Amino acid sequence: MPSDFFISDHHFGHKLIIDFESRPFADADEMTEVMIQKWNAAVGSEDKVFHLGDFSFLNQERTQEIVRKLNGYKFLVLGNHDRGRSRSWWLDAGFDEVSEYPVLYKDFFLLSHEPVYMNKHMPYVNVHGHIHGQKYEGKNYFNVCVEHWDYTPLTFEQIRDAVVVSEEQA
């Protein structure tokens, strides 16, 4: 049965992100190869991946080569570094779906690139990227930036189990 996965902020081709975020790669080419391997080790061809932005700094041809190598159906929520390119640019690069706006997933999870304002009374969890190595406190936020998850997409179940309070009584 296909699974849904979530990840953000690969920054393919962005040489400076290696130093900015202390990524464990010698250069952008090694970073690209390792991140493709980790994606494909987790994601099957029938799975769906929600990429929550800041996918690639490369031109369309090189971005297309990467997207083509990645398993699964790919849904991109545009990040701040993706917005300089049109929605159609990203579709032409190989994404199956592209959204310029946050997406509500399973009526409870708000998928966005940047964290959105949430308070403890709001009935949602914001699954987001953008802040890389940082984390917001509380069960209303879940950061799927690659730096937190060993550059590997997370399943919906991993996120759900981390944020949804169990109602079981001891």
Side-chain angles (χ1 to χ4, degrees):
M1 181 160 169
S3 295
D4 289 346
F5 288 84
F6 303 82
I7 194 80
S8 77
D9 294 277
H10 279 88
H11 286 242
F12 285 109
H14 187 193
K15 297 174 181 113
L16 297 178
I17 197 72
I18 294 169
D19 287 333
F20 291 161
E21 294 297 328
S22 301
R23 290 185 175 186
F25 307 110
D27 56 36
D29 291 334
E30 179 190 359
M31 179 173 73
T32 295
E33 290 310 309
V34 169
M35 292 192 303
I36 290 170
Q37 289 170 3
K38 287 181 178 272
W39 177 304
N40 288 337
V43 177
S45 60
E46 302 298 312
D47 295 328
K48 184 174 190 175
V49 180
F50 290 90
H51 194 285
L52 302 186
D54 290 1
F55 183 79
S56 173
F57 282 59
L58 300 167
N59 65 28
Q60 191 173 52
E61 184 180 335
R62 296 208 38 223
T63 299
Q64 214 169 35
E65 289 172 18
I66 292 169
V67 173
R68 220 178 288 132
K69 290 178 182 178
L70 297 172
N71 290 342
Y73 181 95
K74 293 166 276 300
F75 187 118
L76 176 64
V77 174
L78 294 180
N80 58 301
H81 291 294
D82 304 323
R83 293 183 182 283
R85 299 164 173 169
S86 68
R87 193 175 160 277
S88 62
W89 190 96
W90 290 103
L91 290 166
D92 291 344
F95 279 89
D96 298 293
E97 289 184 65
V98 177
S99 179
E100 298 175 61
Y101 307 102
V103 173
L104 191 58
Y105 176 83
K106 295 192 181 275
D107 300 322
F108 184 73
F109 297 88
L110 184 62
L111 310 180
S112 64
H113 175 62
E114 297 178 16
V116 297
Y117 172 75
M118 306 289 285
N119 69 43
K120 64 183 179 180
H121 303 293
M122 291 176 157
Y124 304 106
V125 170
N126 179 208
V127 180
H128 65 85
H130 184 64
I131 59 173
H132 293 271
Q134 301 172 20
K135 270 196 173 173
Y136 282 12
E137 293 299 319
K139 296 278 187 183
N140 288 85
Y141 293 97
F142 195 93
N143 184 349
V144 293
C145 286
V146 295
E147 288 87 4
H148 287 286
W149 307 106
D150 194 32
Y151 308 90
T152 305
L154 295 164
T155 65
F156 167 67
E157 290 76 18
Q158 288 174 285
I159 295 170
R160 180 202 61 209
D161 293 350
V163 297
V164 176
V165 178
S166 172
E167 295 184 7
E168 272 185 27
Q169 301 295 312

